[in-house]
Amino acid sequence: MKPISRFILSAVLLCGALTAAVPAQAAAAEALPATSLYQLPVKLSNQDGKAFRLSELRGKPVLVSMFYNSCEFVCPMLIDTMRMTQQALDQPSRDQLAMLLVTFDPARDDVKALHTIAHQRELDKQWTLARSDAASVRKLAASLDIQYRKLQDGQFNHTTVLVLLDGEGRVVGSTRKMGAVDPEFLQLLRTTVGVTAK
Amino acid sequence: MMRHRRIAGRQQAAAWLLAVSLAAAGGAVAGDTAQAVEYVAVPAGLLTSVLSGGSAGNLPVKVNPFAMRSEPVTNREFQAFLAAHPEWQRSEAPPIFVSPNYLRQFSGPESAAALARQPVTNVSWFAAQAYCESENARLPTWYEWEYVAAADERRRDARKDPAWRARILAWYAHPSSSHASIGGKANAYGVRDMHGLIWEWVDDFNALLVSADSRDQGDPEKLQYCGAGAISLQDRENFAVLMRVALLSALKGNDSTNDLGFRCVRNANKEEQ
């Protein structure tokens, strides 16, 4: 069993490697870049019940992650970490950065539940809490290299990662550091927001 | 008797499969290739998975009834799909959905005729998803795949049989660059080629993460995983199936390999989430 365990372990660790930084180019006119996640034909609804397509996020960089509401431990920390990261930016940069959380659990996290979280956690207007259909959730997670699995007790086991998309929906980088701001990631965030603002 | 199905079984099955495939090709006109493909009913049941469902003692998981394609999707079928959905052509599909070796068999030396009855490989998960959607189907979940793959020709769960285990394991010892045609012996459900031909995508390939080795208490890595129960590999004897878990866990949705294909399933009842 040893070799197989090691293989799996290294595979899991490999997934954790920081995604190589891609320079954020100035927004091209119409066609999405070939590496843009916004090519995913995913429809979502936000915490106010408003429907939107992933591609409508085009224009601003987005800090994105996935979560589920009934999670007791890591998910609150995930939201905290996202917020800490957001607040490490100055106000003009914050205004340039969209925050997106998509639930793994559309069966339980309905619009009302998302609305409640946004309210309780006092998330500002940059934040979108979103749900989609189960198949789209799977596709989005695959694109973000997020693994998740529903357990028998209704909890989800998932990788916790913050992913930064540039204004065109390309992955610029990611961090798995939770509970504190990742300085390298913050630097990447500043660069990306700066590039988009110009 | 059935031990040598990889060679002999395939040859004799080829004749009637040819007839079936001609019928199937007839059904594939401009629209989707929904007709003429066989889906066989798989009744509900309990599965003791190689993966833990997160509960102590690894209780069996319930598998709802579904219908599974009796055979993997072939190159010919995939080409019919490409004709109807040109956005998935090798030259069109963007790199977030496919990798550079996507469908490379179509530009290789093997003729279209030789490829036709071989399972399509070098397909990404995204492409496989899109194909299944065109058949009003989806990729099987890991549990669904494992449930059907537990069967041999007579028994729905042959996994405790060392001879059966040895037989399916033997295939992994013979890497090959090209594939035999589909059409192995049907298992107890009437499904073919679950073993011995290709690896297969599952819907939740990015859900198999195995954390038995990386969830030690106090390990900062554990923060990467949310959820109470540890996922761990059960039934460590079932090496052949565990290798599939390991492979799938290491892949990204746009990856493709020369040995990785897929088949689709449909829900037995209408309740989609």
Side-chain angles (χ1 to χ4, degrees), chain A residues 1 4-5 7-9 11-13 34-37 39-40 68 71 73-75 134 138-139 141-143 145-149 151-152 156-160 176, chain B residues 51-53 61 94-97 125-126 133 143 203-207 209-210 213-214 221 223-227 229 231 233 236 239 242-243 246 249-250 252 273:
Chain A
M1 270 335 296
I4 248 235
S5 315
F7 175 35
I8 292 164
L9 181 63
V12 169
L13 291 176
T35 52
S36 172
L37 255 62
Q39 294 169 102
L40 275 176
Y68 70 105
C71 173
F73 178 51
V74 176
C75 300
R138 188 59 75 189
K139 286 178 192 170
S143 309
D145 196 19
I146 290 177
Q147 303 197 322
Y148 71 101
R149 178 157 180 260
L151 305 177
Q152 289 295 95
F156 285 76
N157 208 331
H158 65 89
T159 45
T160 305
R176 299 196 172 218
Chain B
L51 299 177
S52 156
V61 293
I96 65 154
F97 297 141
W125 178 84
F126 286 105
E133 284 169 15
Y143 284 151
D203 176 66
D204 50 349
F205 78 99
N206 58 349
L209 67 145
V210 183
D213 294 312
S214 58
E221 290 283 313
L223 288 179
Q224 293 179 12
Y225 302 100
C226 188
I231 298 292
L233 290 173
R236 288 166 186 248
F239 202 79
L242 291 177
M243 278 201 281
S249 304
K252 293 187 178 184
Q273 294 160 327

